[in-house]
Amino acid sequence: MNAVYQTSLSFTSQNLGGEKFSRIDKIKNICLGVVTVVGLVLGWGAVLGGHQLLGIYSSDPEVLSFGMRRLRIICGTYFLCGLMDCMVGSLRGMGYSVIPMFVSLTGACAFRVFWIFTIFAVNRTLEVLYLSYPVSWIITAASHMVTYYENISRKKIRLSYWALDPFGIFLCLDLLKEIENDWYVLVSS
């Protein structure tokens, strides 16, 4: 999953820097598709082979039963975590890092604490505790998607250096190069 996140981040930023803005949505969609297929195949593969995998750690039937309960909920839905990560990669590749950080902290951390003190407090079962993971992945991925589409629509309106250069550093460097080139022409003539 992390490899697809890194791919999304790298290719998005490369195409943004190369001003190939039309490719950014395509990259996001391909990464979301790849992470969904890989997550479902590996996740459900782990669920289907769960008894053999868990047998490495213990042969106790009760341990295997608890392990399978966790595998079904966490591994069966792990592709949702990949969707969340790919959206973060696309946002970071577009030059936004603070917004995805706060969305992820709120969705993946704060929401789970909220879940434990509310939903889990009412129904104290292992399944309810484990369900906090896929639910938080769905909420966080949806929030990242809203943030992505809000920012990509803004980017299409103003295709400028601002995405890569919010503080004007590269713009200043470009101006210094122009001044240097003008100085060189002036001195050499």
Side-chain angles (χ1 to χ4, degrees):
M1 299 299 183
N2 194 2
V4 183
Y5 154 75
Q6 294 292 337
T7 301
S8 175
L9 174 79
S10 298
F11 288 159
T12 299
S13 61
Q14 287 173 357
N15 282 286
L16 184 70
E19 296 184 6
K20 306 280 187 198
F21 302 107
S22 61
R23 295 181 182 176
I24 292 174
D25 258 346
K26 185 178 179 183
I27 291 163
K28 175 199 50 91
N29 292 336
I30 289 170
C31 287
L32 289 176
V34 167
V35 84
T36 300
V37 170
V38 169
L40 286 172
V41 169
L42 293 179
W44 281 101
V47 171
L48 295 174
H51 285 289
Q52 290 79 16
L53 290 171
L54 294 169
I56 295 170
Y57 300 104
S58 176
S59 59
D60 183 4
E62 190 174 3
V63 171
L64 294 176
S65 171
F66 281 106
M68 285 305 297
R69 288 162 65 182
R70 181 181 168 100
L71 282 177
R72 279 189 208 97
I73 294 172
I74 304 297
C75 290
T77 60
Y78 196 66
F79 74 97
L80 296 170
C81 181
L83 294 175
M84 178 185 73
D85 287 344
C86 281
M87 293 308 300
V88 171
S90 294
L91 283 163
R92 288 186 177 155
M94 291 184 342
Y96 299 104
S97 59
V98 176
I99 294 170
M101 177 195 63
F102 282 118
V103 171
S104 293
L105 282 173
T106 305
C109 298
F111 176 76
R112 290 180 191 158
V113 172
F114 171 78
W115 181 279
I116 288 169
F117 286 112
T118 58
I119 311 246
F120 181 68
V122 172
N123 188 1
R124 297 180 72 83
T125 64
L126 221 53
E127 284 79 9
V128 170
L129 182 63
Y130 291 153
L131 279 173
S132 69
Y133 285 90
V135 172
S136 69
W137 293 332
I138 290 169
I139 291 170
T140 308
S143 300
H144 283 308
M145 286 179 190
V146 168
T147 306
Y148 173 85
Y149 286 112
E150 183 180 307
N151 286 310
I152 194 79
S153 65
R154 233 186 291 152
K155 275 232 191 294
K156 287 179 181 175
I157 293 170
R158 82 178 162 189
L159 303 175
S160 66
Y161 274 110
W162 191 85
L164 295 173
D165 189 19
F167 302 108
I169 295 167
F170 294 119
L171 186 61
C172 290
L173 291 175
D174 287 344
L175 289 172
L176 287 173
K177 281 183 189 174
E178 284 183 38
I179 291 169
E180 183 181 38
N181 288 340
D182 290 344
W183 176 256
Y184 179 74
V185 169
L186 184 68
V187 171
S188 62
S189 30

